[in-house]
């Protein structure tokens, strides 16, 4: 079971594949090895979900689920649904935001037969980009007009 917690549009603006298409590609490889692989994508933003649907359709990917909720609300029902599957949970928010308690709840989940692997990507470049944007906004507020 692959769960993408912040699926986005499926592709970046430059056309490169995003995490949903990369996970789907890996899933196709595992199917060749006689594995029953399911894909679930969580995306709260309606515009991104529309783009995601198009990206998946263009790639011939049929997901098991596309969830229209924030990750924090979607994760527990998905983990319950796939309780008998090994789960790879990909949590890569564009920004800083997975709630601490959500991650604790996921990591405390008990099922010795079916592991949960969590990959949480902290993007230093995203933090730097947000810092530059915040600094630029602060400078505009403190700089007197010419």
């Amino acid at each position: 079971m692959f769960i993408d917690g912040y699926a986005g549009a499926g592709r970046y603006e430059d056309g490169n594949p995003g995490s949903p298409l990369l996970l789907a590609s890996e899933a196709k490889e595992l199917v060749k090895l006689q594995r029953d692989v399911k894909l679930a994508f969580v995306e709260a933003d309606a515009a991104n979900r529309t783009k995601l649907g198009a990206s998946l359709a263009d790639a011939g990917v049929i997901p098991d689920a596309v969830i229209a909720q924030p990750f924090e609300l979607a994760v527990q029902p998905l983990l319950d649904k796939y309780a008998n599957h090994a789960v790879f949970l990909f949590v890569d928010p564009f920004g800083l935001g997975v709630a601490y308690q959500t991650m604790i709840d996921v990591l405390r989940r008990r099922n010795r037969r079916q592991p949960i692997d969590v990959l949480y990507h902290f993007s230093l470049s995203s933090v730097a980009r947000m810092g530059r944007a915040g600094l630029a906004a602060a400078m505009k507020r403190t700089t007197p007009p010419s």
Side-chain angles (χ1 to χ4, degrees), residues 91-108:
V91 183
D92 179 17
F94 185 77
L96 297 176
V98 176
Y100 174 77
Q101 191 59 50
T102 299
M103 291 308 297
I104 295 300
D105 292 345
V106 168
L107 294 172
R108 284 189 176 157

Side-chain angles (χ1 to χ4, degrees), residues 74-131:
V75 66
Q76 194 57 55
L78 281 171
L79 292 176
D80 291 344
K81 178 179 179 178
Y82 302 116
N84 293 322
H85 289 69
V87 173
F88 176 83
L89 179 60
F90 183 69
V91 183
D92 179 17
F94 185 77
L96 297 176
V98 176
Y100 174 77
Q101 191 59 50
T102 299
M103 291 308 297
I104 295 300
D105 292 345
V106 168
L107 294 172
R108 284 189 176 157
R109 184 183 155 147
R110 302 269 190 243
N111 187 342
R112 295 187 192 279
R113 294 182 307 118
Q114 303 298 336
I116 296 176
D117 295 317
V118 177
L119 176 59
Y120 178 57
H121 175 243
F122 182 84
S123 176
L124 184 57
S125 62
S126 292
V127 172
R129 186 170 47 249
M130 288 184 282

